[in-house]
Amino acid sequence: MEKLDQLAPPRPFAHVNTTSSAAHSRATVLNPQDTYCRGDQLDILLEMRDHLGHRKEYGGDFLRARMSSPGLKAGASGKVTDFNNGTYLVSFTLFWEGQVTLSLLLIHPSEGVSALWRARNQGYDRIIFQGKFVNGTSHVFMECGLTLNSSAELCEYLDARDREAFYCVKPPHMPCEALTHMTTRNKDISYLTVKEKSLFHRSKVGVEMIKHLKHVDVSRCNKSEKIKEKCQVGMKIPVPGGYTLRGRWITTFCNQIQLNTIAINGCLKGKLIYLLGDSTLRQWIYYLPKVVKTLKFFDLHGTGPFKKHLLLDAERHIQIQWEKHSYPFVTLQLYSVTDENYIPRIIDRISGDKNTAIVITIGQHFRPFPIDVFIRRAISIRKAIERLFLRSPATKVILKTENIREMHIDTERFGDFHGYIQYLIMKDIFRVLNVGVIDAWDMTIAYGTNNVHPPDHVIGNQINLFFNYIC
């Protein structure tokens, strides 16, 4: 937590004029050239200023750097280094040849970041959980949550080992075991002041900082490319870890092969694949039958979009299943909790072998809650993976990080700053494990999707990297 608090220390401000301003800040290309070679690094020094033109003396602004060539369907993220004194180094690796446009967005000023961080860790009540209890033909909805401020008798749903807890107000004349479904809605509450909220108006989120910079011309220059080894789990992933060209994702740290249908079919034979997480991973199970035509959905008699999904090819012994992570799971849709399981408990029940692969993603549903909820879950998942590797070191485990999402949404509850903090935490907690990483954060910036559920071509490229890890 100390490390995280240093990323977003308190930044009280007397007036919006003293907060970071995209228009008044100065960006300078270091060692500019008329043309660049493919593979060169282009550096920009950013000097942050406030709305009065005064230099900022501290960092912490939430910036997003991206380069693109729309005609080539090409994009990549840039790397931002914060010197914590109001200056930043923004580095772009020029991966492809052609005309390249550079972008640097001020998503939130440091004062907004500080306010979001404080507000996030203040309360658990931004989301209201409603549990459905059923007794024969009658049912009743009761208030539930990760914590409950209630003097009423409570039902406790506890996982003592992993220190997970969920509570519901106990319904009259029904046992706690009668809980069958859950739904959520947003509570009309905010921990931001009126002045702080003014920093998150649509016009102030994601403001371009380098409009004045013309496009960059990149030539091939006959530079030889290093031969990279095959993609495999356990590889360290740089930032950026890849780029998109002609719509295809190309990794920078390993030799990613575009597998054809025959290769994919051969690879998946005899495989048991578990997709554990949220709807951004459920997209995978909807996409896979488009690639592997022999995979068919098997009806497990659940209802709604968050039921367990199962794909089978009985002839070739392929089984792929998607299961949602447990509380907190945020949706207006009613979902079943009768077979509710935390991801560590699901992993504990997988025996594992060389033909078993597990993909895990958590994040989007944790954004409205204090960060300790996310950290605790991530550590429990890591411990479960360590236990799995003791009994079956050959099992492949892949971590998919969060996607970036819509720029103009409820920033206090669901904004990308919360996702970015979780992205850093995930990389830190899992860095010592022998797992593969699909850096969906980096990928979705490169593709410029700004959608929590990116389109099919992005999902296809995430899955292609997954196949490279397991085939």
Side-chain angles (χ1 to χ4, degrees), residues 42-251:
L42 185 150
D43 290 326
I44 293 173
L45 187 68
L46 176 68
E47 194 182 86
M48 196 65 80
R49 292 176 179 261
D50 65 20
H51 291 265
L52 302 170
H54 300 141
R55 276 210 43 188
K56 298 290 293 286
E57 291 178 2
Y58 50 84
D61 300 281
F62 185 34
L63 304 169
R64 180 173 296 161
R66 179 175 182 259
M67 56 187 240
S68 62
S69 298
L72 296 171
K73 291 186 181 169
S77 66
K79 187 177 179 182
V80 178
T81 306
D82 184 352
F83 295 119
N84 295 313
N85 61 2
T87 57
Y88 299 81
L89 183 67
V90 185
S91 304
F92 294 97
T93 304
L94 304 171
F95 291 115
W96 62 87
E97 55 191 286
Q99 267 193 11
V100 176
T101 303
L102 305 178
S103 165
L104 179 63
L105 301 181
L106 174 61
I107 296 186
H108 304 309
S110 48
E111 295 78 11
V113 164
S114 171
L116 286 175
W117 180 241
R118 187 207 72 243
R120 174 174 186 167
N121 294 306
Q122 248 173 291
Y124 290 82
D125 54 353
R126 285 178 193 79
I127 304 293
I128 296 169
F129 290 85
Q130 292 276 300
K132 182 183 181 183
F133 289 79
V134 176
N135 187 357
T137 55
S138 66
H139 73 266
V140 62
F141 281 91
M142 304 300 291
E143 189 185 349
C144 304
L146 298 173
T147 62
L148 278 183
N149 261 345
S150 174
S151 55
E153 188 184 354
L154 298 180
C155 291
E156 299 180 342
Y157 306 96
L158 308 177
D159 183 327
R161 183 196 69 189
D162 293 339
R163 300 190 354 266
E164 297 287 4
F166 193 78
Y167 305 93
C168 291
V169 173
K170 188 178 184 301
H173 319 303
M174 282 193 201
C176 292
E177 292 75 20
L179 177 65
T180 62
H181 290 79
M182 193 66 60
T183 180
T184 70
R185 58 187 166 86
N186 295 345
K187 186 176 180 180
D188 187 15
I189 189 172
S190 172
Y191 291 98
L192 297 173
T193 66
V194 173
K195 194 169 58 177
E196 287 168 344
K197 280 183 189 171
S198 73
L199 299 176
F200 305 111
H201 289 160
R202 284 182 82 96
S203 61
K204 293 180 183 170
V205 175
V207 183
E208 184 57 71
M209 302 193 75
I210 52 175
K211 279 184 196 149
H212 63 286
L213 292 184
K214 293 188 175 71
H215 62 256
V216 175
D217 290 310
V218 183
S219 304
R220 182 176 290 175
C221 303
N222 294 325
K223 276 198 173 182
S224 58
E225 283 195 51
K226 281 187 207 159
I227 295 168
K228 296 174 288 195
E229 57 179 316
K230 178 191 178 302
C231 302
Q232 47 201 332
V233 295
M235 286 181 152
K236 295 289 167 273
I237 298 188
V239 176
Y243 58 97
T244 150
L245 182 61
R246 295 181 187 86
R248 189 185 139 202
W249 180 255
I250 300 164
T251 52

Side-chain angles (χ1 to χ4, degrees), residues 21-37:
S21 160
H24 291 82
S25 299
R26 294 178 186 175
T28 312
V29 176
L30 301 179
N31 306 315
Q33 295 168 40
D34 291 336
T35 66
Y36 291 83
C37 291

Side-chain angles (χ1 to χ4, degrees), residues 4-21:
L4 293 169
D5 284 335
Q6 285 167 6
L7 279 176
R11 296 288 183 214
F13 60 100
H15 195 277
V16 171
N17 281 348
T18 62
T19 65
S20 306
S21 160

Side-chain angles (χ1 to χ4, degrees), residues 12 14 33 41 71 88-89 121 144 150 200 223 254 261 278 286 325 337 375 377 438 450 463 466:
Q33 295 168 40
Q41 184 168 302
Y88 299 81
L89 183 67
N121 294 306
C144 304
S150 174
F200 305 111
K223 276 198 173 182
C254 64
T261 309
D278 57 32
Y286 291 157
H325 65 68
V337 294
I375 293 172
R377 188 70 50 84
I438 293 170
N450 294 322
I463 290 171
F466 166 65

